[in-house]
Amino acid sequence: MTIPISVRPVTEAEYEAYGKCLAPAFGGDYDAEEQARELELIPLGDTLAAFEGDLLVGTEGAFRMTVTIPGGEVPMAGVTSVSVLPTHRRRGVLTAMMRHRLEDMHHQGQWLAGLWASESMIYGRFGYGLATERLRLEVQKHRSAFAHASSGPTMRLLERAEAEIVIPPIYARAAADRPGMIARDSRWWTHLWHDPREHREGRSARLFAVHSTGGVDDGYTVYRTRFDWASRSTSEVYVEELVSISDSGYAGTWRYLLDIDLLHLVVAGRRPLDDPLPWLLADRGAVNITVMEAMWLRLVDVKVALAARAYLATDTLVLDVRDTFCPWNAGRYLLTTGPESATCETTSKAADLVLGAAELAAMYLGGVRPSTLAQARRVREEVQGSLARADEVFRWHLIPWCDRVF
């Protein structure tokens, strides 16, 4: 007899079983100390587990986050820690957890969820769309001269205690402008500063450096180094973060990283799609560029979400949204946009565009044009010219970027 699957938050007594289900799914070993640290960011009430009778067979959790969207910052559920025991694959466990999370959010009036997907095929069927992408940049240091000479960077190395004071204000200013970036409170900074040796992948402990222009701190980097004395070609600077609030802070911080002695490569794995580094260099071919997935979004309440963001264009569009996983979203919406405010209401008017929940989520931060999705047969134009108008409505002056995996 098949035992039905139930889904609910775990209790304190079940938390160890939750961790032991999760750890092997991502190739790790259960670590009680690390799991205890997670409770600081995901309290028990924000966990979910799937049970077959008394057996815990799946896990999920959600961070309470704040993310930048065009025009401001809003709450977001950062879905994470998703796993299913290998003995219970293809039995609807993941679907049950996803449905429980989204229905619970809907009932509580929460309207935006985000996640980083371990596999891109998983979450589209639940209405998540790829809203941000990232670049992995690999720079050959000996070919890293800038196209235009600049004064040497004004940098200083920081001990961790000083970094904890200097770095967060720079990040906060940058994150407030760029859609997709996640705000960090003291809990998040404490979590990010944690640097156990087993997480370093053979690299050094974190190093911190800050750039100043005219005595004002305007850029920083968090990085690691790895020396290979047998083969210098694999020695590298690994850039975990590079954030700036000025052009000089950006260029100066990169110049500092590219000039570190005895290292051959500079690698940055989570850079925005519009990162100007290749244009800074005299030899653009010195940069190896790989485009990769980043954060996926899910609009849990389409009407609230569309009215919440800002728009550069003044227009009206009727969107026919298809959403089988969250059926309360399915319907037609009259979106009225302008630089000052936006409204979104259900309507019986004829549709300009027909699209699914995943496609709307992918468009939401301005990372992909509706016309691109239409060429990929993911959006259908009902009224000629609507795609061009939608491109203008949904674009933003900065490409979205999520710089932190969660």
Side-chain angles (χ1 to χ4, degrees):
M1 181 181 71
T2 301
I3 302 175
I5 299 295
S6 61
V7 178
R8 59 171 173 79
V10 296
T11 65
E12 186 175 355
E14 296 163 336
Y15 194 53
E16 182 176 341
Y18 176 90
K20 288 182 175 179
C21 179
L22 171 63
F26 293 95
D29 298 320
Y30 174 68
D31 186 324
E33 182 179 345
E34 285 297 309
Q35 188 183 8
R37 290 177 54 81
E38 288 294 317
L39 269 178
E40 299 171 8
L41 296 173
I42 306 177
L44 293 175
D46 291 334
T47 64
L48 283 181
F51 293 86
E52 184 183 59
D54 294 330
L55 178 65
L56 194 154
V57 299
T59 67
E60 191 253 40
F63 299 113
R64 298 188 182 192
M65 310 178 102
T66 299
V67 66
T68 302
I69 66 172
E73 296 177 322
V74 299
M76 180 181 76
V79 175
T80 188
S81 301
V82 180
S83 73
V84 176
L85 286 180
T87 53
H88 287 69
R89 296 171 65 250
R90 306 294 185 264
R91 291 176 55 180
V93 176
L94 176 60
T95 299
M97 292 190 296
M98 292 290 105
R99 178 166 283 114
H100 189 287
R101 174 67 66 189
L102 294 173
E103 289 180 348
D104 188 56
M105 289 182 64
H106 178 57
H107 293 148
Q108 294 185 30
Q110 301 171 3
W111 54 267
L112 186 64
L115 55 79
W116 284 64
S118 55
E119 295 182 61
S120 60
M121 290 293 291
I122 296 175
Y123 293 100
R125 68 182 186 271
F126 306 127
Y128 283 86
L130 182 61
T132 74
E133 295 178 286
R134 60 186 169 112
L135 299 181
R136 176 182 171 87
L137 304 178
E138 294 185 3
V139 188
Q140 300 177 42
K141 207 186 86 167
H142 67 284
R143 298 168 61 189
S144 67
F146 282 179
H148 299 283
S150 59
S151 58
T154 304
M155 303 289 299
R156 67 183 189 277
L157 284 167
L158 305 175
E159 295 294 334
R160 174 174 159 173
E162 187 180 3
E164 291 176 354
I165 297 170
V166 171
I167 286 177
I170 301 172
Y171 179 89
R173 285 188 58 186
D177 291 334
R178 173 82 72 161
M181 291 189 74
I182 308 297
R184 299 177 184 173
D185 58 19
S186 59
R187 298 173 308 125
W188 273 101
W189 282 112
T190 298
H191 183 75
L192 293 171
W193 297 129
H194 184 55
D195 190 19
R197 185 179 297 273
E198 58 269 22
H199 292 179
R200 297 175 188 172
E201 300 181 344
R203 302 183 179 102
S204 71
R206 287 193 180 103
L207 298 163
F208 311 94
V210 65
H211 181 277
S212 299
T213 300
V216 177
D217 296 334
D218 57 356
Y220 75 86
T221 182
V222 180
Y223 67 100
R224 304 179 188 272
T225 59
R226 178 166 56 198
F227 288 89
D228 185 345
W229 298 107
S231 176
R232 292 284 183 89
S233 64
T234 59
S235 295
E236 69 175 26
V237 178
Y238 184 77
V239 183
E240 290 195 346
E241 293 191 10
L242 190 159
V243 175
S244 64
I245 53 176
S246 74
D247 291 346
S248 60
Y250 172 84
T253 305
W254 267 117
R255 189 68 269 158
Y256 165 78
L257 293 165
L258 294 166
D259 286 343
I260 296 176
D261 290 332
L262 303 179
L263 297 165
H264 179 73
L265 281 176
V266 178
V267 179
R270 295 190 298 268
R271 302 303 303 159
L273 290 184
D274 58 351
D275 196 307
L277 178 64
W279 297 99
L280 269 178
L281 303 180
D283 183 358
R284 198 179 189 281
V287 188
N288 183 32
I289 302 173
T290 306
V291 181
M292 306 174 74
E293 295 178 2
M295 184 172 65
W296 296 63
L297 286 184
R298 207 322 169 177
L299 307 186
V300 184
D301 188 318
V302 166
K303 185 164 68 172
V304 172
L306 290 177
R309 63 153 283 182
Y311 301 86
L312 300 179
T314 299
D315 207 338
T316 58
L317 286 170
V318 177
L319 306 176
D320 189 339
V321 178
R322 309 294 170 86
D323 192 344
T324 56
F325 201 74
C326 293
W328 58 84
N329 277 330
R332 291 181 186 172
Y333 296 89
L334 175 64
L335 174 63
T336 304
T337 66
E340 300 299 325
S341 63
T343 62
C344 185
E345 301 293 340
T346 55
T347 184
S348 59
K349 292 184 177 181
D352 294 310
L353 301 177
V354 178
L355 69 169
E359 288 69 37
L360 183 59
M363 293 159 40
Y364 185 66
L365 298 182
V368 62
R369 296 187 305 169
S371 60
T372 300
L373 294 175
Q375 287 181 298
R377 299 183 179 181
R378 291 176 174 265
V379 172
R380 187 172 78 241
E381 183 181 51
E382 297 288 277
V383 177
Q384 188 173 5
S386 296
L387 278 171
R389 291 167 46 220
D391 283 353
E392 286 299 305
V393 165
F394 281 94
R395 72 177 179 88
W396 194 245
H397 62 274
L398 286 174
I399 291 176
W401 175 42
C402 185
D403 69 318
R404 177 56 56 177
V405 179
F406 57 86

